[in-house]
């Protein structure tokens, strides 16, 4: 038996790097090499790999209670996590539904929004509205609200119909560009829409696109006016990735659904949660069991994952994480302003601990360009995965400014040698 790897054309794929250990900001390969994890292992690691507080919590919980049927039982591990989330989030988020990954947290939000409409006399509201560069996961529902592209084309017939909006370019700030199509689509289809789904502030997989805050505020206002639910998919932006604990804090607006996963356990174990309000929850309360929420997963509310998540959240409460993030942010700014003078860039942007450059090359996802950049950075001790011509760093929060500088110098060196001599 051999392994079939994710997002990989297995024919001719380079063999994977055998990794032996990970600690803090580093991966340690079996051949003894030490590699800086420039993308927090697909955006999941928060404080650093194998953080002792998180690994201790996992070990302790594993000895006491591992897994139990969440439809019939509850446990301190989940109760404690929900209490902690309650202290970190506005009180209007009153209900938490667990699943295992980002895609399922999105599926849960969509099914809840849809069913809430069906059960509250809004049977015309059967569609979702999504944006041009959106990414919400790889399961069929989440893929349906993901933008059309390379990752969805092979499955187009499996995707349900969705209203898709163009949006502005980050190189062009005009509000008309950002909102024009949304406003047009809303006036046409508004009364058919159950929910609008957005990656608030920063669209990740679509190319690290930063939203103007005012555009998001306006979208929220229009949704409220038309009584359309809002889903904030904070699977990536949650847990500090935009500089505040959650992106919605910076926008100053609350969604009806908040999807969290990736950084929830600090990256140590899979877990997701979909948070919602009493208003939604009450649509499912009935003496008729046909009106319950028909969804669950074998591992819903896994006790070990919940313990890891609580330990992760306590680190956010107790340590200087936001300061760490700010120093990473400053290091990005410093390095990028130097790099700008050295190679031609289409754009550069920094948001919280994420530093992004867009080089002046035509290159799609998985192109020769991005593969070459990754391979050469890896040779020099840095792990990154550019999104086409968008090269970014999203390091774990324990990464020092010096390490951030090393990462950008490595990227500069590689780009210079490869393309901009
Ligand atoms: C990664 C991601 C998902 C999917 O999460 P998985 O755990 O990979 O299923 C959904 N939404 C956003 C915004 C993501 O970045």
């Amino acid at each position: 038996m051999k392994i079939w790897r994710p997002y990989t054309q297995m024919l001719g794929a380079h063999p994977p790097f055998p990794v032996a250990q990970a600690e803090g900001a580093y991966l340690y390969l079996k051949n003894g090499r030490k590699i800086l994890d420039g993308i927090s292992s697909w955006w999941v690691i928060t404080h650093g790999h194998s953080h002792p507080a998180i690994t201790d919590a996992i070990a302790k919980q594993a000895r006491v209670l591992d897994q139990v049927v969440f439809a019939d039982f509850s446990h301190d591990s989940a109760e404690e996590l929900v209490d902690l989330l309650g202290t970190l989030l506005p009180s209007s988020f009153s209900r938490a539904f667990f699943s295992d990954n980002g895609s399922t947290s999105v599926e849960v939000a969509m099914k809840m929004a849809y069913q809430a409409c069906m059960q509250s006399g809004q049977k015309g509201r059967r569609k979702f509205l999504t944006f041009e560069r959106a990414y919400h996961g790889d399961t069929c529902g989440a893929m349906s609200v993901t933008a059309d592209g390379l990752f969805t084309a092979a499955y187009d017939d499996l995707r349900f119909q969705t209203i898709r909006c163009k949006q502005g370019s980050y190189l062009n700030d005009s509000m008309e560009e950002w909102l024009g199509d949304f406003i047009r689509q809303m006036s046409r289809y508004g009364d058919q829409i159950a929910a609008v789904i957005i990656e608030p502030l920063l669209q990740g997989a679509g190319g690290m696109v930063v939203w103007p805050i005012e555009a998001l505020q306006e979208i929220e206002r229009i949704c409220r006016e038309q009584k359309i639910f809002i889903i904030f998919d904070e699977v990536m932006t949650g847990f500090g990735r935009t500089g505040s604990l959650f992106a919605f804090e910076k926008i100053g607006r609350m969604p009806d659904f908040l999807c969290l996963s990736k950084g929830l356990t600090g990256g140590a174990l899979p877990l997701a949660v979909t948070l919602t309000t009493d208003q939604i929850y009450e649509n499912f309360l009935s003496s008729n069991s046909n009106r319950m929420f028909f969804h669950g997963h074998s591992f819903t509310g896994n006790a070990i994952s919940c313990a890891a998540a609580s330990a992760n959240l306590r680190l956010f409460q107790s340590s200087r994480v936001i300061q760490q993030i700010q120093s990473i942010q400053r290091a990005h700014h410093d390095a990028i302003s130097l790099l700008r003078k050295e190679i031609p860039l289409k754009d550069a942007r920094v948001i919280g601990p994420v530093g992004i450059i867009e080089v002046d090359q035509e290159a799609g996802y998985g192109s020769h360009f991005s593969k070459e950049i990754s391979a050469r950075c890896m040779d020099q001790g840095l792990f990154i995965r550019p999104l086409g011509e968008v090269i970014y760093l999203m390091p774990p929060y324990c990464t020092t400014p010096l390490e951030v500088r090393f990462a950008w110098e490595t990227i500069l060196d590689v780009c210079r040698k490869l393309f901009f001599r």
Side-chain angles (χ1 to χ4, degrees), residues 7 43 101-104 106 135-138 199 204-205 233-236 261-262:
Y7 302 128
W43 322 343
N101 62 71
S103 305
T104 55
V106 168
Y135 177 76
H136 297 291
D138 290 347
E199 295 159 87
D233 174 356
E234 292 224 35
V235 169
M236 184 274 284
S261 183
K262 292 200 166 104

Side-chain angles (χ1 to χ4, degrees), residues 242-243 250 320-339 349-356 393 395 397 399-406 408:
T242 67
K250 287 196 162 166
R320 302 170 45 256
V321 185
I322 296 299
Q323 285 98 307
Q324 284 179 304
I325 290 173
Q326 284 163 352
S327 68
I328 292 173
Q329 185 171 359
R330 278 193 298 273
H332 284 318
H333 274 297
D334 294 347
I336 290 175
S337 63
L338 293 177
L339 193 138
R349 40 196 188 271
V350 175
I351 177 163
V354 190
I356 306 147
L393 289 171
Y397 306 144
T399 309
T400 65
L402 216 63
E403 288 163 332
V404 173
R405 204 171 91 189
F406 157 79
W408 283 115

Side-chain angles (χ1 to χ4, degrees), residues 212-230:
I213 287 181
E214 315 82 74
L216 292 163
Q217 290 171 340
E218 189 58 10
I219 288 169
E220 192 265 356
R221 192 189 64 75
I222 294 169
C223 287
R224 294 287 168 236
E225 209 172 72
Q226 301 206 24
K227 301 202 164 21
I228 294 170
F229 295 134
I230 303 168

